[in-house]
Amino acid sequence: MLRAEVAVPVRMRRVAIVAPEQALRETLVRIAESGRVEVDLAGDGGPDIRGPAATRLQRLRAESAQPVLSDAPPDLDALERAGRTDLLAGEAQLEERLGSAVHHGAVAALAGWCPEAEVGATAARIAGAGGALVPLRTPRGVDPPTLLTGADTVRPRVAARTVRRSFTPLVSTYGTVPYADLDPTMAAGIVYVVMFGLMFGDAGHGLLLVVIALLLRAGRPRRLAALHRLWPFVAGAGLAAALAGVAYGEFFGPTGVLPVLWLEPLEEPMRLLAVAVGLGAVLLAGAYAAGIVNRWREGGLASALYATTGIAGAALYLGLAVGAGYMWLGEVVFGVVGAVIAVVGLVLAGTGLYATTAGGPGGAVQTGIQLFDAVVRIGSNVVSFARLAAFGLTHAALGAIVWDGTTALAGRGAVGVAAAVVVFLVGNAVAFSLEALVAGVQALRLEFYELFSRLFEGEGRPFRPWHLPVQHLTGSAAAEEETVRQGPAREESS
């Protein structure tokens, strides 16, 4: 059950917020405080809904403040005189939603979306105010908004929620995952740190990244506090780099501190290149598999069968891969089987592509060009993973240059030793900064262009729940509000 939940976006439910007229405000205040419901607005694509609070807020022309809601209807004039732009901003949002409600007799209702797992708790929350959360059928042709598992707005049900949350920006930076598609967050994060580690393979540099991750976790430095949630991501990249460094025998360069357990990049570049391209071929196969599932979930069998990112594209890729086996091993059977599978893939892909054209000779030409592009893209995408080896070699070369300079200076007396220390520290600092940036960008490029381009054909709409802090007027807060209300009256009487 948990595995199924983490493989797809959070299940959404279409809901209606229903309440008596006199209880609608309190119901919406509780909805805002829970932060679990995205409320549809009548102003989306229509006329602007501007109420008294929004008008007063505009008159103040103050810098935008964090909106806050009052649990009881406030005196808007008193808030304007007191300059409480936070409460006026909250009331303006509330007015927008009150103006979007549909009224029938003494009852009002609004539509929206709520995570299915949160419907019961949210319904119980607003029941105390006299409201109700009524599940509805999803309208035809309307895709629910997307919320990836592990996001802040919904309590995740998996132990790795912190890791998932740190990986989420990888996916959200590319775009919003369509609601029907698989959630690739965890897989994308793991693949990224593996690719980063191969290119940034140095145990010393990797451990420095782990230290940086621990500092982020502790909230240091404070100027980078906004990156706190990314610390597992940075730690994972550091550990992957450290493990690759152990395999390469690299510790702040080829210092000899670690033995070579697998291969030395500068001594066996072709072996590293073959491993990088082989890993890329496996990752592309996984991307095609996920693409087939996504096309099936989006449009059924026909969509999965004819799409170049579905079964058709996967068959073409498999056929070319088997054909490459013939070139590598010299076995004729690989060539024949590969050619048959590739032709089947071309026929299926051509059928799907031709159906999207205007038909006739022009459509046939367009289809032929697109098929040629699909074949070229497969080859170029596989070869593109050679950059894993190329930048791994670059990192090793920089480390070797720094270490050669260090050892050359160290044998020249006290001054030479001092110069060697400076070269070692500055050289590693430059190599660390430059290669971390390059490896980070290149891993992102491979993930976006080679892998995500096969997973997604469209983009979804992000789930944006209405969430505002609520000021409860109890005790001293109530007295303060009463002072704000009575202040002008006292001045007039005096």
Side-chain angles (χ1 to χ4, degrees):
M1 181 65 179
L2 292 179
R3 291 182 181 179
E5 288 179 355
V6 301
V8 295
V10 174
R11 290 180 62 86
M12 288 288 166
R13 192 66 188 265
R14 186 68 170 170
V15 295
I17 305 165
V18 183
E21 291 277 3
Q22 66 273 15
L24 183 58
R25 186 188 194 281
E26 184 180 354
T27 298
L28 287 177
V29 167
R30 296 193 180 197
I31 288 289
E33 190 173 28
S34 70
R36 298 289 186 250
V37 181
E38 179 183 290
V39 182
D40 293 350
L41 299 179
D44 290 349
D48 186 29
I49 300 175
R50 188 172 297 278
T55 302
R56 287 170 172 78
L57 186 64
Q58 188 178 36
R59 280 205 300 262
L60 288 176
R61 294 183 179 179
E63 294 185 4
S64 58
Q66 174 64 39
V68 177
L69 267 178
S70 170
D71 65 341
D75 184 333
L76 298 180
D77 292 327
L79 292 180
E80 184 179 8
R81 287 191 292 270
R84 293 297 303 273
T85 55
D86 55 345
L87 287 171
L88 284 174
E91 287 299 316
Q93 290 193 18
L94 181 63
E95 288 173 351
E96 192 174 18
R97 283 148 184 85
L98 289 172
S100 301
V102 176
H103 301 267
H104 183 74
V107 178
L110 296 98
W113 297 95
C114 180
E116 192 171 80
E118 301 289 339
V119 171
T122 307
R125 187 184 189 95
I126 67 175
L133 196 68
V134 182
L136 303 174
R137 290 183 178 180
T138 301
R140 287 187 177 182
V142 176
D143 288 330
T146 300
L147 174 66
L148 298 183
T149 308
D152 291 335
T153 45
V154 170
R155 293 185 298 273
R157 299 177 181 273
V158 292
R161 60 185 179 275
T162 304
V163 176
R164 292 183 59 81
R165 191 178 296 119
S166 72
F167 287 161
T168 298
L170 269 179
V171 181
S172 59
T173 300
Y174 183 82
T176 302
V177 177
Y179 181 77
D181 286 5
L182 298 175
D183 175 5
T185 303
M186 283 298 291
I190 294 171
V191 168
Y192 183 96
V193 299
V194 169
M195 293 192 297
F196 179 90
L198 288 174
M199 291 185 284
F200 197 67
D202 187 290
H205 292 172
L207 292 177
L208 282 179
L209 273 181
V210 174
V211 171
I212 292 173
L214 295 177
L215 290 175
L216 289 177
R217 185 175 184 268
R220 296 287 187 272
R222 291 184 178 179
R223 74 176 83 178
L224 298 179
L227 302 178
H228 165 77
R229 62 183 293 179
L230 298 180
W231 77 264
F233 182 27
V234 179
L239 287 174
L243 290 175
V246 171
Y248 298 157
E250 297 275 332
F251 185 82
F252 294 109
T255 55
V257 173
L258 296 176
V260 178
L261 296 183
W262 178 40
L263 62 82
E264 190 173 351
L266 296 179
E267 296 297 325
E268 299 182 81
M270 294 308 297
R271 184 180 174 191
L272 184 61
L273 178 64
V275 170
V277 173
L279 175 62
V282 173
L283 292 177
L284 284 174
Y288 272 115
I292 292 171
V293 176
N294 285 345
R295 301 298 85 76
W296 192 297
R297 290 169 61 88
E298 291 166 358
L301 176 59
S303 178
L305 185 60
Y306 298 111
T308 55
T309 56
I311 294 174
L316 177 59
Y317 174 74
L318 178 61
L320 293 176
V322 175
Y326 162 69
M327 298 177 61
W328 184 265
L329 300 174
E331 295 289 341
V332 177
V333 65
F334 283 99
V336 174
V337 173
V340 171
I341 297 175
V343 168
V344 171
L346 284 171
V347 171
L348 291 175
T351 302
L353 291 171
Y354 186 77
T356 62
T357 68
V365 172
Q366 180 180 339
T367 300
I369 294 173
Q370 290 175 315
L371 287 176
F372 178 77
D373 178 69
V375 174
V376 172
R377 275 191 62 201
I378 288 175
S380 63
N381 289 160
V382 173
V383 173
S384 185
F385 281 91
R387 69 187 65 226
L388 296 176
F391 288 103
L393 289 169
T394 302
H395 194 183
L398 285 175
I401 291 172
V402 172
W403 182 242
D404 288 345
T406 301
T407 54
L409 291 170
R412 299 183 179 181
V415 176
V417 171
V421 171
V422 172
V423 168
F424 183 78
L425 294 177
V426 174
N428 272 282
V430 172
F432 177 87
S433 303
L434 181 62
E435 285 299 305
L437 176 62
V438 171
V441 171
Q442 292 301 323
L444 194 65
R445 184 212 175 278
L446 287 171
E447 194 139 64
F448 281 5
Y449 290 100
E450 271 65 46
L451 303 180
F452 281 5
S453 62
R454 287 168 170 79
L455 262 64
F456 309 121
E457 285 196 338
E459 189 170 352
R461 180 175 66 84
F463 175 65
R464 294 191 174 95
W466 185 39
H467 189 201
L468 292 180
V470 175
Q471 177 176 301
H472 296 277
L473 299 179
T474 58
S476 59
E480 181 183 347
E481 177 69 14
E482 187 63 23
T483 301
V484 172
R485 291 173 180 268
Q486 295 182 0
R490 290 174 180 172
E491 293 177 2
E492 292 176 2
S493 61
S494 62

